[in-house]
Amino acid sequence: MTLAFLALLGVAACSPTYRNHGYVPPEIDLAQVQVGQTTREDLPALIGRPSAQGLLTGSGWYYVGSRWRRIGPAAPQEIERQVVAVSFAESGVVSNVERFGLERGRIVSLSRRVTDGSVTEISLIGQLLGNLGNFQAADFIE
């Protein structure tokens, strides 16, 4: 009986546990955001407040969410990350909505809605995520 209990306890200790961090609005809520019509003041009621905001005046709002897995005593591992970036025109109207994922250390655009032109500036989050995987050991050895 004791041996069976210890075996069951060992198996339970090695089962993965998952934790979610941050918030990314679901696609059904993002569909309510109309590029070229929705304003900065409308967004909190539609999709909630952002996880982060751009440092420059008029820059975007960023919703960041990640999922972590932990198995036994091993360190937690990030298994999924999504970033939703909402950009604004100078008038405060939404000009772009993009959803990014992280696949094998590279940023992958999952969806994008743009009115005029493309993204005009690289955000702080974009710069940080863009540098993942760009470092090599030789850069630090010298």
Side-chain angles (χ1 to χ4, degrees), residues 1-12:
M1 180 71 175
T2 304
L3 186 58
F5 176 73
L6 288 176
L8 182 62
L9 186 63
V11 169

Side-chain angles (χ1 to χ4, degrees), residues 37 44 52:
Q37 295 177 4

Side-chain angles (χ1 to χ4, degrees), residues 82-131:
Q82 286 192 16
V83 176
V84 171
V86 180
S87 302
F88 300 98
E90 288 185 24
S91 62
V93 175
V94 173
S95 63
N96 187 9
V97 177
E98 293 181 283
R99 181 185 292 267
F100 299 99
L102 189 63
E103 303 285 334
R104 296 188 184 124
R106 296 182 175 259
I107 297 174
V108 177
S109 180
L110 300 176
S111 69
R112 183 176 190 183
R113 292 185 277 161
V114 182
T115 52
D116 300 345
S118 63
V119 178
T120 58
E121 64 184 18
I122 298 176
S123 64
L124 175 64
I125 299 289
Q127 290 175 11
L128 292 174
L129 293 177
N131 285 326

